[in-house]
Amino acid sequence: MSDLLRLILVCVLMVILLRRQLNLGLVMAGAAILLALIYGLGPYALLSVAWRTLTASDSINLVLALIFIAFLEHAMRHAGMMERMVGALRDLIHDPRIIMAALPAFLGFLPSAGGARFSCPLVDQVTRDFEIPPERKAFINYWYRHLWECVMPIYPSLIVTTQVLGLNMDRLLVATVPMTPIIILAGLIPAFKGISGQQNSIQNMVHHQGQDSQDQDPRDQDPRDGRGEVGDVSSVLPKTMPVSANRSKDILDAAYSLSPVIGILLGVMVLKLSVALAVAIVLIIMIIWGRYTVTDVTKLLKEGFSLNIVLLVYGVMFFRDVMVRSGALERISPALTATGIPPLVILFALPFLVGFSTGLAVSVPGVAFPLIAGIIGIGGNANLALATFAFVSGYVGTMLSPAHLCLVLSIDYFKARFSKVQNMLWCPAGIVQAGVLLLTMFRLRF
């Protein structure tokens, strides 16, 4: 059990440091070094792992993808696409809460590490008319970015699960598909409690208006313009409940504004390009289409580049590589099974611990499932109820993990406090875990 205790010690220390608002990338790197010391990795071995992390193609591709995404965000803002998209979606979808959740969920179709960074500015844009703390914005972006983890067949975690357990993808998806509505419902209260779209919009319109507009008729105001004076509430068309004069134009505006995202999705899912390459191609097209000058491009590069993103990525990847090199995870399963712990507890504990420790969903089937395949079964003998339970337990672990890159990037973008965001995650994550437990018990019984 010493391996388990060591790993728990490192994870607890990591959480404590992050809750003290220390630099996220440096905390991850420090945790990796501590883990290396605990497992006796010498200076040469540690430097070897660090060099591997620094030069690995997956690390470089991830850094490039996130940097290009930051550049693309600035280019979209420069072209007014963010405002245009949110305005169109407000006309098309009456409830702003649906928009807040739908934008990161839409980008969740792109199964890339750190993909939540791309949806951050979209969530920020649509929540500007509401007095929402940064922690809640980060939660909305992070939670609803991962709706499809259990049902999208292009997600690496599902692909590896089918390979390790010898399952057909369609059999696995039939078993896991009930989790998506559970995940949606579990996040509703922490994300949207107290947010009443129409009331909040009117209050903000009152708050931002000037006294010099008292004589204006609110009905003469643009529904997307919050500057009108509010007298009789019934005569006001708030931003969040407009009546679209031209629905076709709104659809075209939304499609145009989302075209860079759609282009990236097509590049990754249809053309099988890397995320970094797909984003780079879309960015170049935008620069050419927008007739950027050399000065414009230089300004774009200066504003979009963030050294903090580089530190975050390499900190998380370094921690992951040290975890693999130390062999900590491989030694936990024998320790658990030797204690006589009930199988269902092991099917929860091992995937959860792997997910929580690494923050990488694909590591759960890659590391934990070979160790618990004897309990679940292989191929036609596999128990889909147990496979689903183990998979979702790993998902819950990754969602709570301080090493999850999407969580780290969301918190960094919104300048939120790690402790508050993590506190918001425990309850919905517990609901998801309880939901899969009840579902598993029902399937095992009937």
Side-chain angles (χ1 to χ4, degrees):
M1 193 62 72
S2 59
D3 289 292
L4 180 61
L5 293 177
R6 291 175 187 177
L7 199 53
I8 291 175
L9 174 64
V10 172
C11 290
V12 169
L13 181 61
M14 193 162 49
V15 170
I16 291 174
L17 293 176
L18 289 175
R19 293 174 75 92
R20 292 181 177 272
Q21 294 294 95
L22 298 182
N23 183 277
L24 300 172
L26 295 180
V27 168
M28 298 306 303
I33 294 173
L34 175 61
L35 191 67
L37 293 175
I38 290 176
Y39 278 91
L41 293 181
Y44 178 79
L46 189 59
L47 287 174
S48 175
V49 175
W51 178 252
R52 189 267 170 201
T53 302
L54 190 65
T55 59
S57 59
D58 57 348
S59 299
I60 294 173
N61 285 334
L62 182 55
V63 168
L64 289 176
L66 292 175
I67 290 176
F68 290 156
I69 286 172
F71 292 160
L72 185 61
E73 172 202 334
H74 281 73
M76 291 177 68
R77 287 192 182 279
H78 177 77
M81 298 177 80
M82 299 288 193
E83 294 82 358
R84 189 170 175 179
M85 172 173 43
V86 171
L89 290 176
R90 279 171 173 159
D91 284 351
L92 295 169
I93 303 174
H94 291 171
D95 192 332
R97 294 165 295 187
I98 296 178
I99 305 176
M100 294 176 197
L103 288 172
F106 175 76
L107 290 171
F109 286 118
L110 188 66
S112 61
R117 174 60 180 79
F118 198 8
S119 56
C120 284
L122 304 181
V123 173
D124 188 40
Q125 183 70 35
V126 80
T127 56
R128 286 186 175 183
D129 292 336
F130 301 85
E131 295 181 0
I132 300 176
E135 289 76 19
R136 188 178 290 200
K137 295 181 182 181
F139 174 86
I140 292 171
N141 184 71
Y142 176 61
W143 186 262
Y144 288 102
R145 163 70 174 79
H146 295 87
L147 286 186
W148 317 118
E149 195 82 42
C150 300
V151 295
M152 279 292 289
I154 62 172
Y155 266 74
S157 55
L158 285 169
I159 295 173
V160 175
T161 297
T162 59
Q163 293 172 343
V164 172
L165 298 180
L167 293 171
N168 292 328
M169 181 64 76
D170 56 348
R171 288 188 66 207
L172 181 61
L173 294 182
V174 168
T176 58
V177 72
M179 296 313 304
T180 296
I182 294 176
I183 294 170
I184 293 173
L185 295 174
L188 290 181
I189 292 179
F192 305 116
K193 181 181 179 181
I195 299 180
S196 176
Q198 186 174 5
Q199 291 299 321
N200 281 5
S201 180
I202 292 175
Q203 290 170 4
N204 279 281
M205 290 166 70
V206 174
H207 177 73
H208 291 295
Q209 69 191 5
Q211 290 297 323
D212 57 339
S213 62
Q214 290 182 356
D215 295 330
Q216 285 184 299
D217 188 338
R219 289 165 291 187
D220 294 334
Q221 300 297 317
D222 187 332
R224 297 182 192 174
D225 185 340
R227 295 188 297 271
E229 173 70 13
V230 176
D232 179 10
V233 170
S234 63
S235 67
V236 178
L237 294 178
K239 288 184 180 181
T240 54
M241 295 289 288
V243 177
S244 176
N246 192 336
R247 189 173 183 84
S248 297
K249 181 179 181 300
D250 291 329
I251 294 175
L252 289 175
D253 280 349
Y256 166 76
S257 302
L258 287 171
S259 59
V261 179
I262 296 171
I264 294 170
L265 288 172
L266 292 175
V268 173
M269 298 173 67
V270 178
L271 301 179
K272 307 301 180 182
L273 303 177
S274 69
V275 176
L277 181 57
V279 176
I281 291 173
V282 171
L283 179 62
I284 292 171
I285 292 173
M286 285 195 64
I287 290 175
I288 296 174
W289 186 269
R291 298 179 180 179
Y292 276 54
T293 64
V294 174
T295 303
D296 292 333
V297 173
T298 302
K299 183 180 179 181
L300 176 69
L301 298 179
K302 288 181 179 179
E303 292 179 350
F305 179 78
S306 172
L307 182 61
N308 200 36
I309 289 179
V310 178
L311 291 175
L312 290 176
V313 172
Y314 276 113
V316 170
M317 302 300 275
F318 183 43
F319 182 80
R320 178 205 65 178
D321 291 342
V322 171
M323 286 279 294
V324 173
R325 181 68 178 267
S326 69
L329 296 175
E330 286 79 358
R331 291 196 284 266
I332 291 174
S333 182
L336 287 174
T337 54
T339 60
I341 296 174
L344 205 59
V345 176
I346 295 177
L347 292 179
F348 161 74
L350 195 57
F352 179 89
L353 186 60
V354 172
F356 187 83
S357 301
T358 63
L360 297 171
V362 71
S363 68
V364 175
V367 176
F369 277 28
L371 306 176
I372 57 178
I375 300 175
I376 297 174
I378 301 293
N381 296 322
N383 188 310
L384 288 176
L386 296 181
T388 302
F389 180 77
F391 183 88
V392 175
S393 297
Y395 165 82
V396 171
T398 60
M399 290 299 292
L400 292 172
S401 173
H404 193 145
L405 195 58
C406 288
L407 175 62
V408 169
L409 292 169
S410 295
I411 289 174
D412 178 71
Y413 181 89
F414 291 106
K415 308 304 178 191
R417 291 186 61 87
F418 174 85
S419 57
K420 290 185 177 181
V421 177
Q422 191 182 55
N423 289 343
M424 294 177 69
L425 287 168
W426 286 105
C427 183
I431 292 173
V432 172
Q433 188 65 56
V436 74
L437 176 60
L438 292 175
L439 183 63
T440 303
M441 298 298 290
F442 176 82
R443 286 173 171 173
L444 291 176
R445 184 168 184 142
F446 298 100

